[in-house]
PDB file of all heavy atoms in Angstrom:
ATOM      1  N   LEU A 124     -65.122 -24.241  24.994  1.00  0.00           N
ATOM      2  CA  LEU A 124     -64.416 -23.233  24.193  1.00  0.00           C
ATOM      3  C   LEU A 124     -63.249 -22.649  24.984  1.00  0.00           C
ATOM      4  O   LEU A 124     -63.335 -22.470  26.197  1.00  0.00           O
ATOM      5  CB  LEU A 124     -65.380 -22.107  23.798  1.00  0.00           C
ATOM      6  CG  LEU A 124     -66.568 -22.496  22.924  1.00  0.00           C
ATOM      7  CD1 LEU A 124     -67.415 -21.264  22.603  1.00  0.00           C
ATOM      8  CD2 LEU A 124     -66.119 -23.175  21.644  1.00  0.00           C
ATOM      9  N   SER A 125     -62.155 -22.374  24.267  1.00  0.00           N
ATOM     10  CA  SER A 125     -61.028 -21.678  24.889  1.00  0.00           C
ATOM     11  C   SER A 125     -60.617 -20.567  23.931  1.00  0.00           C
ATOM     12  O   SER A 125     -61.210 -20.416  22.860  1.00  0.00           O
ATOM     13  CB  SER A 125     -59.849 -22.645  25.084  1.00  0.00           C
ATOM     14  OG  SER A 125     -59.132 -22.767  23.872  1.00  0.00           O
ATOM     15  N   GLY A 126     -59.580 -19.828  24.297  1.00  0.00           N
ATOM     16  CA  GLY A 126     -59.093 -18.767  23.423  1.00  0.00           C
ATOM     17  C   GLY A 126     -58.545 -19.295  22.109  1.00  0.00           C
ATOM     18  O   GLY A 126     -58.368 -18.533  21.154  1.00  0.00           O
ATOM     19  N   ARG A 127     -58.265 -20.629  22.034  1.00  0.00           N
ATOM     20  CA  ARG A 127     -57.698 -21.206  20.804  1.00  0.00           C
ATOM     21  C   ARG A 127     -58.717 -21.915  19.934  1.00  0.00           C
ATOM     22  O   ARG A 127     -58.367 -22.476  18.898  1.00  0.00           O
ATOM     23  CB  ARG A 127     -56.586 -22.228  21.140  1.00  0.00           C
ATOM     24  CG  ARG A 127     -55.444 -21.768  21.995  1.00  0.00           C
ATOM     25  CD  ARG A 127     -54.468 -20.795  21.355  1.00  0.00           C
ATOM     26  NE  ARG A 127     -54.128 -20.966  19.959  1.00  0.00           N
ATOM     27  CZ  ARG A 127     -52.931 -21.324  19.525  1.00  0.00           C
ATOM     28  NH1 ARG A 127     -51.972 -21.631  20.355  1.00  0.00           N
ATOM     29  NH2 ARG A 127     -52.687 -21.378  18.226  1.00  0.00           N
ATOM     30  N   THR A 128     -59.976 -21.971  20.379  1.00  0.00           N
ATOM     31  CA  THR A 128     -60.977 -22.691  19.586  1.00  0.00           C
ATOM     32  C   THR A 128     -61.282 -21.921  18.308  1.00  0.00           C
ATOM     33  O   THR A 128     -61.609 -20.731  18.364  1.00  0.00           O
ATOM     34  CB  THR A 128     -62.293 -22.864  20.379  1.00  0.00           C
ATOM     35  OG1 THR A 128     -61.987 -23.261  21.706  1.00  0.00           O
ATOM     36  CG2 THR A 128     -63.189 -23.883  19.715  1.00  0.00           C
ATOM     37  N   ARG A 129     -61.153 -22.572  17.159  1.00  0.00           N
ATOM     38  CA  ARG A 129     -61.398 -21.896  15.883  1.00  0.00           C
ATOM     39  C   ARG A 129     -62.394 -22.622  14.993  1.00  0.00           C
ATOM     40  O   ARG A 129     -62.832 -22.079  13.988  1.00  0.00           O
ATOM     41  CB  ARG A 129     -60.089 -21.745  15.093  1.00  0.00           C
ATOM     42  CG  ARG A 129     -59.083 -20.788  15.676  1.00  0.00           C
ATOM     43  CD  ARG A 129     -59.512 -19.325  15.504  1.00  0.00           C
ATOM     44  NE  ARG A 129     -58.574 -18.455  16.203  1.00  0.00           N
ATOM     45  CZ  ARG A 129     -58.632 -18.184  17.504  1.00  0.00           C
ATOM     46  NH1 ARG A 129     -59.608 -18.691  18.244  1.00  0.00           N
ATOM     47  NH2 ARG A 129     -57.738 -17.411  18.081  1.00  0.00           N
ATOM     48  N   ALA A 130     -62.731 -23.874  15.315  1.00  0.00           N
ATOM     49  CA  ALA A 130     -63.598 -24.621  14.399  1.00  0.00           C
ATOM     50  C   ALA A 130     -64.370 -25.703  15.140  1.00  0.00           C
ATOM     51  O   ALA A 130     -63.961 -26.141  16.221  1.00  0.00           O
ATOM     52  CB  ALA A 130     -62.765 -25.243  13.279  1.00  0.00           C
ATOM     53  N   ILE A 131     -65.492 -26.103  14.539  1.00  0.00           N
ATOM     54  CA  ILE A 131     -66.274 -27.249  15.017  1.00  0.00           C
ATOM     55  C   ILE A 131     -66.326 -28.257  13.871  1.00  0.00           C
ATOM     56  O   ILE A 131     -66.544 -27.884  12.716  1.00  0.00           O
ATOM     57  CB  ILE A 131     -67.712 -26.847  15.404  1.00  0.00           C
ATOM     58  CG1 ILE A 131     -67.713 -25.662  16.374  1.00  0.00           C
ATOM     59  CG2 ILE A 131     -68.464 -28.031  16.005  1.00  0.00           C
ATOM     60  CD1 ILE A 131     -69.122 -25.151  16.723  1.00  0.00           C
ATOM     61  N   LEU A 132     -66.107 -29.531  14.204  1.00  0.00           N
ATOM     62  CA  LEU A 132     -66.150 -30.581  13.185  1.00  0.00           C
ATOM     63  C   LEU A 132     -67.243 -31.587  13.570  1.00  0.00           C
ATOM     64  O   LEU A 132     -66.944 -32.642  14.127  1.00  0.00           O
ATOM     65  CB  LEU A 132     -64.763 -31.256  13.069  1.00  0.00           C
ATOM     66  CG  LEU A 132     -64.369 -31.857  11.722  1.00  0.00           C
ATOM     67  CD1 LEU A 132     -62.937 -32.382  11.738  1.00  0.00           C
ATOM     68  CD2 LEU A 132     -65.323 -32.882  11.200  1.00  0.00           C
TER      69      LEU A 132
END
Side-chain angles (χ1 to χ4, degrees):
L124 298 181
S125 82
R127 305 289 322 248
T128 316
R129 291 287 174 277
I131 308 176
L132 209 175

